[in-house]
Amino acid sequence: MSIKLKKIKRKARVRKKLRSSSAEKIRLSVFRSSNHIYAQIIDDNTGKTLAYASSLNNKIKKEDGNIGSASVVGELIAERSIKAGVKKVYFDRGGYKYHGRVKALAEKARETGLEF
């Protein structure tokens, strides 16, 4: 089995668990590339993105490395989602391990006020 197929299967497994357990269907989705990290608050009932943050923003500097910028993105997404009226979300790690940048983003979002 190829690496790409394994990642698709992991991603589908995570989303399936979220879909079965969530009634509100608002999720915090994370995408991680080799250089940047992106986060979205998505309402699955309407299919719309309510809030968005990424490390592409010029205000976020790479001084602290990727984990530092991921925690800043976590703080930004939490602030923007609370401003949009969303406080409780389901964390969709997108098939990535809960480790490193993904973990830093999630922990900072929790500290800032989001409930998972």
Side-chain angles (χ1 to χ4, degrees):
M1 198 178 309
S2 71
I3 294 173
K4 193 172 187 178
L5 185 60
K6 285 181 181 181
K7 182 171 190 238
I8 291 169
K9 283 187 163 194
R10 270 196 316 270
K11 194 172 186 179
R13 187 171 54 238
V14 169
R15 291 248 172 93
K16 183 178 178 183
K17 288 178 186 176
L18 288 175
R19 226 178 289 129
S20 66
S21 66
S22 65
E24 296 172 357
K25 305 257 187 191
I26 295 180
R27 64 185 161 99
L28 170 59
S29 179
V30 174
F31 174 73
R32 187 190 75 181
S33 71
S34 59
N35 293 324
H36 296 284
I37 192 159
Y38 310 83
Q40 297 182 67
I41 301 291
I42 302 168
D43 184 1
D44 285 332
N45 291 329
T46 60
K48 300 213 176 195
T49 300
L50 305 174
Y52 172 82
S54 75
S55 62
L56 289 171
N57 192 344
N58 292 337
K59 295 177 186 175
I60 299 172
K61 296 189 178 179
K62 292 278 192 175
E63 298 170 356
D64 300 332
N66 287 335
I67 291 179
S69 62
S71 63
V72 173
V73 170
E75 187 175 353
L76 276 174
I77 194 67
E79 290 171 357
R80 291 177 183 175
S81 67
I82 290 171
K83 191 175 181 181
V86 177
K87 195 158 184 162
K88 187 174 181 181
V89 296
Y90 292 94
F91 187 64
D92 177 13
R93 56 188 172 82
Y96 303 110
K97 288 182 180 181
Y98 187 77
H99 172 269
R101 291 187 281 165
V102 176
K103 183 178 178 183
L105 187 144
E107 287 178 352
K108 195 63 168 181
R110 276 193 195 104
E111 286 176 14
T112 309
L114 273 185
E115 296 176 23
F116 293 13

